[in-house]
Amino acid sequence: MRALIVDDEAPARAKVRRLLQACADVEIVGEASTGREAVAAIKRSQPDIVFLDVQMPGVDGFGVVQAIEAGEAPYVVFVTADERHAIRAFEVGAVDYLLKPFTPLRFDQVLTRARERLAERAPAAIFVPAPARQYLRRILVLDDGRALFLPVERIDTVEAERNYVYLTGGASRYRLRATVGSLQERLDPAHFLRINRSTLVRLDAIRSMHDWSHGDYRVVMQDGRELTWSRRYRAAAEREFGVGR
């Protein structure tokens, strides 16, 4: 994997360089300290991945992205100290987003994700939006011997019990032979969150969340039920989106 490092601060470039040099499958093809240098280096070196600082004098990271033609597009990991750029970073198709100061563990997670994306060989993934993943819109369930297609927006919680899960919404409850993990993969993460080993919740069905004990949160649903968002799954969500408390 050919990597280019772009940052206007030398210590920041040195940190990324040191972490990349520890990876046997990574070749550092260059460094740049300005947006214009970055554009030229991308055209010249054709890296597979670019660690790109967002805030630079003159042409910033987003300007670099706009200046590269689709056929030259590498995979981009935006690097910045300002978390407000996160949403825009993903809108332009960044592989990931590193929030300074980041740990070696967080860097390794980003690099692993980049390897997976590169292995897929998706053409021009940063500039040409990939087809949207198809998530479930309805789930076939049984209700008193009758089959019906349950819209996912009517599901408040998915809770595991032995070899089944129970889908609860309002006063209705349906049993389905499945696992929480299998449904988590098929439900849109923009609307559903796994809060512990056995529970998924629909975000719009949450009334409030509160600190509870030892890093756990108490999740209060609109119907009054109280559930636990375990610290393990909170940490996973924070890693996924690159933010912390």
Side-chain angles (χ1 to χ4, degrees):
M1 180 164 54
R2 296 162 54 82
L4 177 70
I5 304 168
V6 182
D7 200 301
D8 63 331
E9 297 181 354
R13 295 197 304 274
K15 180 177 181 179
V16 175
R17 184 193 320 122
R18 184 172 63 254
L19 292 169
L20 289 175
Q21 286 173 337
C23 302
D25 64 335
V26 176
E27 175 191 359
I28 300 173
V29 297
E31 297 183 17
S33 60
T34 70
R36 289 186 176 85
E37 289 179 3
V39 173
I42 291 170
K43 292 177 178 293
R44 179 179 65 253
S45 304
Q46 297 184 341
D48 298 307
I49 183 170
V50 178
F51 290 87
L52 179 62
D53 187 22
V54 173
Q55 295 172 294
M56 295 182 291
V59 179
D60 65 7
F62 296 113
V64 172
V65 169
Q66 294 171 354
I68 301 300
E69 297 179 4
E72 303 169 323
Y75 290 89
V76 170
V77 175
F78 279 111
V79 186
T80 184
D82 191 341
E83 64 182 11
R84 291 175 298 177
H85 295 300
I87 294 176
R88 188 178 175 194
F90 287 111
E91 285 177 346
V92 300
V95 174
D96 218 321
Y97 183 89
L98 276 170
L99 185 63
K100 299 177 183 178
F102 52 85
T103 65
L105 175 60
R106 172 64 180 152
F107 187 88
D108 286 345
Q109 291 168 344
V110 167
L111 201 57
T112 296
R113 191 171 303 174
R115 288 188 182 100
E116 293 172 351
R117 289 285 300 272
L118 287 167
E120 295 171 0
R121 302 292 181 183
I126 185 172
F127 293 95
V128 180
R133 180 174 178 179
Q134 296 299 307
Y135 294 103
L136 290 174
R137 298 177 59 189
R138 295 175 179 83
I139 298 176
L140 180 64
V141 297
L142 295 177
D143 182 27
D144 291 333
R146 297 177 302 133
L148 62 90
F149 286 100
L150 177 69
V152 296
E153 60 265 26
R154 287 174 50 192
I155 300 171
D156 294 338
T157 60
V158 178
E159 297 175 273
E161 185 174 318
R162 297 186 180 180
N163 296 326
Y164 297 87
V165 295
Y166 284 88
L167 313 178
T168 303
S172 301
R173 194 165 187 253
Y174 308 95
R175 191 176 76 165
L176 186 68
R177 192 172 184 86
T179 65
V180 170
S182 64
L183 284 180
Q184 181 183 12
E185 293 178 356
R186 301 295 310 281
L187 293 170
D188 190 343
H191 300 288
F192 287 86
L193 174 70
R194 190 167 184 176
I195 62 171
N196 57 54
R197 183 178 179 181
S198 60
T199 310
L200 283 166
V201 299
R202 185 169 56 85
L203 296 178
D204 288 344
I206 295 174
R207 180 189 300 171
S208 61
M209 296 185 295
H210 312 280
D211 277 318
W212 190 44
S213 175
H214 299 92
D216 293 346
Y217 263 37
R218 205 61 173 164
V219 177
V220 182
M221 306 299 292
Q222 296 288 358
D223 61 9
R225 285 181 296 152
E226 294 187 2
L227 306 168
T228 299
W229 188 6
S230 74
R231 60 181 178 179
R232 172 188 170 188
Y233 283 88
R234 283 188 56 229
E238 290 171 356
R239 289 195 301 269
E240 179 67 17
F241 296 102
V243 298
R245 296 185 65 186

Short mmCIF file of all heavy atoms in Angstrom, two decimals, residues 85-112:
data_model
loop_
_atom_site.label_atom_id
_atom_site.label_comp_id
_atom_site.label_asym_id
_atom_site.label_seq_id
_atom_site.Cartn_x
_atom_site.Cartn_y
_atom_site.Cartn_z
N HIS A 85 -15.33 19.03 11.37
CA HIS A 85 -15.14 18.69 9.95
C HIS A 85 -15.55 17.25 9.65
O HIS A 85 -15.51 16.84 8.49
CB HIS A 85 -13.68 18.88 9.56
CG HIS A 85 -13.22 20.30 9.63
ND1 HIS A 85 -13.79 21.31 8.90
CD2 HIS A 85 -12.22 20.88 10.36
CE1 HIS A 85 -13.17 22.46 9.16
NE2 HIS A 85 -12.21 22.21 10.04
N ALA A 86 -15.92 16.48 10.67
CA ALA A 86 -16.16 15.05 10.47
C ALA A 86 -17.27 14.78 9.45
O ALA A 86 -17.12 13.95 8.56
CB ALA A 86 -16.50 14.37 11.80
N ILE A 87 -18.41 15.46 9.60
CA ILE A 87 -19.54 15.20 8.72
C ILE A 87 -19.16 15.49 7.26
O ILE A 87 -19.42 14.69 6.37
CB ILE A 87 -20.75 16.04 9.14
CG1 ILE A 87 -21.24 15.58 10.51
CG2 ILE A 87 -21.87 15.93 8.11
CD1 ILE A 87 -22.39 16.41 11.06
N ARG A 88 -18.52 16.62 7.02
CA ARG A 88 -18.16 16.95 5.65
C ARG A 88 -17.14 15.97 5.10
O ARG A 88 -17.17 15.62 3.91
CB ARG A 88 -17.60 18.37 5.58
CG ARG A 88 -17.38 18.83 4.14
CD ARG A 88 -16.87 20.25 4.07
NE ARG A 88 -16.55 20.62 2.70
CZ ARG A 88 -15.84 21.69 2.36
NH1 ARG A 88 -15.41 22.52 3.30
NH2 ARG A 88 -15.60 21.95 1.09
N ALA A 89 -16.23 15.48 5.96
CA ALA A 89 -15.24 14.51 5.52
C ALA A 89 -15.90 13.27 4.95
O ALA A 89 -15.53 12.78 3.88
CB ALA A 89 -14.32 14.13 6.68
N PHE A 90 -16.91 12.76 5.63
CA PHE A 90 -17.57 11.56 5.14
C PHE A 90 -18.47 11.86 3.95
O PHE A 90 -18.72 10.99 3.12
CB PHE A 90 -18.35 10.89 6.27
CG PHE A 90 -17.45 10.21 7.26
CD1 PHE A 90 -17.30 10.70 8.54
CD2 PHE A 90 -16.73 9.09 6.89
CE1 PHE A 90 -16.46 10.08 9.44
CE2 PHE A 90 -15.88 8.46 7.78
CZ PHE A 90 -15.74 8.96 9.06
N GLU A 91 -18.96 13.09 3.85
CA GLU A 91 -19.79 13.45 2.69
C GLU A 91 -18.99 13.37 1.40
O GLU A 91 -19.54 13.06 0.35
CB GLU A 91 -20.36 14.86 2.87
CG GLU A 91 -21.51 14.93 3.88
CD GLU A 91 -22.00 16.35 4.08
OE1 GLU A 91 -21.31 17.30 3.64
OE2 GLU A 91 -23.08 16.51 4.68
N VAL A 92 -17.68 13.66 1.47
CA VAL A 92 -16.86 13.59 0.25
C VAL A 92 -16.25 12.21 0.07
O VAL A 92 -15.46 11.99 -0.84
CB VAL A 92 -15.76 14.67 0.24
CG1 VAL A 92 -16.35 16.05 0.32
CG2 VAL A 92 -14.74 14.44 1.35
N GLY A 93 -16.61 11.26 0.94
CA GLY A 93 -16.23 9.88 0.72
C GLY A 93 -14.93 9.45 1.35
O GLY A 93 -14.29 8.52 0.86
N ALA A 94 -14.49 10.11 2.43
CA ALA A 94 -13.25 9.71 3.08
C ALA A 94 -13.36 8.29 3.62
O ALA A 94 -14.41 7.86 4.05
CB ALA A 94 -12.94 10.67 4.24
N VAL A 95 -12.24 7.56 3.54
CA VAL A 95 -12.21 6.23 4.13
C VAL A 95 -12.44 6.33 5.63
O VAL A 95 -13.18 5.55 6.22
CB VAL A 95 -10.86 5.55 3.86
CG1 VAL A 95 -10.77 4.21 4.60
CG2 VAL A 95 -10.67 5.32 2.38
N ASP A 96 -11.80 7.31 6.26
CA ASP A 96 -11.94 7.46 7.70
C ASP A 96 -11.54 8.86 8.10
O ASP A 96 -11.19 9.69 7.26
CB ASP A 96 -11.10 6.41 8.44
CG ASP A 96 -11.79 5.88 9.68
OD1 ASP A 96 -12.45 6.69 10.36
OD2 ASP A 96 -11.69 4.68 9.95
N TYR A 97 -11.54 9.08 9.41
CA TYR A 97 -11.35 10.40 9.96
C TYR A 97 -10.57 10.26 11.25
O TYR A 97 -11.00 9.56 12.17
CB TYR A 97 -12.73 11.01 10.23
CG TYR A 97 -12.73 12.43 10.75
CD1 TYR A 97 -12.74 13.49 9.87
CD2 TYR A 97 -12.77 12.69 12.10
CE1 TYR A 97 -12.78 14.80 10.33
CE2 TYR A 97 -12.79 13.99 12.57
CZ TYR A 97 -12.80 15.04 11.69
OH TYR A 97 -12.84 16.32 12.15
N LEU A 98 -9.39 10.86 11.33
CA LEU A 98 -8.56 10.80 12.53
C LEU A 98 -8.63 12.14 13.24
O LEU A 98 -8.29 13.18 12.67
CB LEU A 98 -7.11 10.49 12.16
CG LEU A 98 -6.74 9.02 11.97
CD1 LEU A 98 -5.34 8.91 11.37
CD2 LEU A 98 -6.81 8.26 13.28
N LEU A 99 -9.08 12.10 14.48
CA LEU A 99 -9.19 13.31 15.28
C LEU A 99 -7.95 13.43 16.17
O LEU A 99 -7.67 12.55 16.99
CB LEU A 99 -10.46 13.26 16.14
CG LEU A 99 -10.79 14.50 16.97
CD1 LEU A 99 -11.05 15.70 16.05
CD2 LEU A 99 -11.99 14.23 17.86
N LYS A 100 -7.20 14.50 15.98
CA LYS A 100 -6.00 14.72 16.79
C LYS A 100 -6.38 15.11 18.22
O LYS A 100 -7.34 15.86 18.40
CB LYS A 100 -5.15 15.85 16.19
CG LYS A 100 -4.64 15.61 14.79
CD LYS A 100 -3.89 16.85 14.30
CE LYS A 100 -3.40 16.71 12.87
NZ LYS A 100 -2.73 17.94 12.39
N PRO A 101 -5.64 14.66 19.23
CA PRO A 101 -4.55 13.69 19.16
C PRO A 101 -5.11 12.27 19.13
O PRO A 101 -6.02 11.94 19.89
CB PRO A 101 -3.80 13.93 20.47
CG PRO A 101 -4.86 14.41 21.41
CD PRO A 101 -5.84 15.19 20.58
N PHE A 102 -4.60 11.44 18.25
CA PHE A 102 -5.09 10.07 18.12
C PHE A 102 -4.05 9.10 18.69
O PHE A 102 -2.86 9.39 18.74
CB PHE A 102 -5.41 9.73 16.67
CG PHE A 102 -4.28 10.02 15.72
CD1 PHE A 102 -3.27 9.09 15.51
CD2 PHE A 102 -4.24 11.22 15.02
CE1 PHE A 102 -2.23 9.34 14.63
CE2 PHE A 102 -3.19 11.49 14.14
CZ PHE A 102 -2.19 10.55 13.95
N THR A 103 -4.53 7.94 19.10
CA THR A 103 -3.66 6.91 19.67
C THR A 103 -3.19 5.95 18.58
O THR A 103 -3.80 5.85 17.51
CB THR A 103 -4.42 6.10 20.74
OG1 THR A 103 -5.49 5.38 20.11
CG2 THR A 103 -4.98 7.02 21.81
N PRO A 104 -2.11 5.21 18.84
CA PRO A 104 -1.69 4.18 17.88
C PRO A 104 -2.79 3.15 17.61
O PRO A 104 -2.91 2.66 16.48
CB PRO A 104 -0.47 3.53 18.57
CG PRO A 104 0.09 4.63 19.42
CD PRO A 104 -1.11 5.38 19.92
N LEU A 105 -3.59 2.84 18.63
CA LEU A 105 -4.67 1.88 18.43
C LEU A 105 -5.69 2.43 17.45
O LEU A 105 -6.13 1.72 16.54
CB LEU A 105 -5.36 1.58 19.77
CG LEU A 105 -6.60 0.67 19.69
CD1 LEU A 105 -6.24 -0.69 19.10
CD2 LEU A 105 -7.22 0.52 21.07
N ARG A 106 -6.07 3.68 17.61
CA ARG A 106 -7.03 4.29 16.69
C ARG A 106 -6.45 4.35 15.27
O ARG A 106 -7.15 4.08 14.29
CB ARG A 106 -7.39 5.69 17.18
CG ARG A 106 -8.23 6.52 16.21
CD ARG A 106 -9.58 5.92 15.96
NE ARG A 106 -10.34 6.73 15.02
CZ ARG A 106 -11.27 6.28 14.22
NH1 ARG A 106 -11.58 4.99 14.22
NH2 ARG A 106 -11.91 7.08 13.41
N PHE A 107 -5.17 4.65 15.15
CA PHE A 107 -4.51 4.69 13.84
C PHE A 107 -4.55 3.31 13.18
O PHE A 107 -4.84 3.19 11.99
CB PHE A 107 -3.07 5.17 14.00
CG PHE A 107 -2.36 5.39 12.69
CD1 PHE A 107 -2.43 6.62 12.05
CD2 PHE A 107 -1.61 4.38 12.10
CE1 PHE A 107 -1.77 6.84 10.85
CE2 PHE A 107 -0.96 4.59 10.90
CZ PHE A 107 -1.04 5.81 10.27
N ASP A 108 -4.26 2.26 13.96
CA ASP A 108 -4.29 0.90 13.42
C ASP A 108 -5.68 0.53 12.93
O ASP A 108 -5.84 -0.14 11.90
CB ASP A 108 -3.85 -0.10 14.49
CG ASP A 108 -2.34 -0.05 14.74
OD1 ASP A 108 -1.63 0.54 13.92
OD2 ASP A 108 -1.90 -0.58 15.78
N GLN A 109 -6.72 0.97 13.65
CA GLN A 109 -8.09 0.69 13.23
C GLN A 109 -8.40 1.36 11.89
O GLN A 109 -9.02 0.76 11.01
CB GLN A 109 -9.07 1.16 14.30
CG GLN A 109 -9.00 0.36 15.59
CD GLN A 109 -9.76 1.01 16.72
OE1 GLN A 109 -10.08 2.19 16.66
NE2 GLN A 109 -10.07 0.25 17.75
N VAL A 110 -7.94 2.58 11.75
CA VAL A 110 -8.15 3.30 10.50
C VAL A 110 -7.42 2.62 9.36
O VAL A 110 -7.95 2.46 8.26
CB VAL A 110 -7.68 4.76 10.66
CG1 VAL A 110 -7.57 5.45 9.31
CG2 VAL A 110 -8.64 5.53 11.57
N LEU A 111 -6.18 2.20 9.62
CA LEU A 111 -5.38 1.57 8.57
C LEU A 111 -5.98 0.22 8.16
O LEU A 111 -5.99 -0.13 6.98
CB LEU A 111 -3.95 1.39 9.06
CG LEU A 111 -2.87 1.22 8.00
CD1 LEU A 111 -2.87 2.40 7.03
CD2 LEU A 111 -1.50 1.08 8.66
N THR A 112 -6.51 -0.51 9.13
CA THR A 112 -7.16 -1.79 8.82
C THR A 112 -8.37 -1.56 7.93
O THR A 112 -8.60 -2.29 6.95
CB THR A 112 -7.59 -2.49 10.12
OG1 THR A 112 -6.43 -2.82 10.88
CG2 THR A 112 -8.36 -3.77 9.81
#
